[in-house]
Amino acid sequence: MADVKVNWYPGKKKEVLEASDKIMYAIARQTLDRTFPHIPMSRRKGVVHMRQTSMAAGVRGSNGDYYIGSYTNYAKYVWIMPNTTNWTEPGTFGKWYQEIYTKQKKSIVGIAIKENELK
């Protein structure tokens, strides 16, 4: 995830650090939520496995260091598949979190900051 700058106000260090953690979590969560329809799927007994496990895995981490991912052992191999891959599900692609964050970064960060503004 790209760096996010948070202004520091003298005497307010604790509040700014807490806001930064909340903002980073919100950025990771929004990235996951917006990426959901673009995560490739593998159907196993009627279950959309990789997409489903990515949402189940959710956002993990703490103290401003968050990551999102899938519980499947093959997600990393699907992730690195080239753009020329013939994806079977329309709208899906490799490097799904990166692609969505890169394309929607301004909106994702803006909403995360707005939702977690210092009051």
Side-chain angles (χ1 to χ4, degrees):
M1 199 132 334
D3 292 333
V4 174
K5 294 182 180 179
V6 177
N7 292 328
W8 178 76
Y9 301 97
K12 298 287 185 179
K13 185 175 181 184
K14 182 177 180 192
E15 288 88 345
V16 171
L17 289 175
E18 288 174 358
S20 177
D21 181 58
K22 291 176 186 175
I23 289 169
M24 293 307 295
Y25 176 84
I27 289 170
R29 184 74 236 183
Q30 276 202 41
T31 301
L32 173 60
D33 292 345
R34 292 179 185 209
T35 302
F36 179 74
H38 305 288
I39 300 171
M41 307 182 320
S42 67
R43 297 196 183 275
R44 292 185 358 179
K45 297 181 184 175
V47 176
V48 183
H49 193 62
M50 190 159 64
R51 192 177 287 178
Q52 180 185 35
T53 63
S54 294
M55 291 305 284
V59 175
R60 298 181 302 265
S62 62
N63 300 321
D65 186 15
Y66 294 101
Y67 62 98
I68 48 183
S70 173
Y71 287 138
T72 63
N73 60 357
Y74 61 89
K76 63 183 175 185
Y77 301 108
V78 177
W79 171 271
I80 61 172
M81 292 174 115
N83 290 339
T84 57
T85 301
N86 182 14
W87 301 101
T88 57
E89 191 71 23
T92 60
F93 41 79
K95 297 186 177 78
W96 43 92
Y97 302 123
Q98 179 181 325
E99 288 284 327
I100 294 301
Y101 182 76
T102 300
K103 291 177 183 174
Q104 299 182 26
K105 176 179 168 179
K106 187 174 182 178
S107 173
I108 290 170
V109 172
I111 289 170
I113 290 171
K114 185 175 181 179
E115 288 177 350
N116 294 285
E117 287 179 316
L118 293 175
K119 295 183 176 156

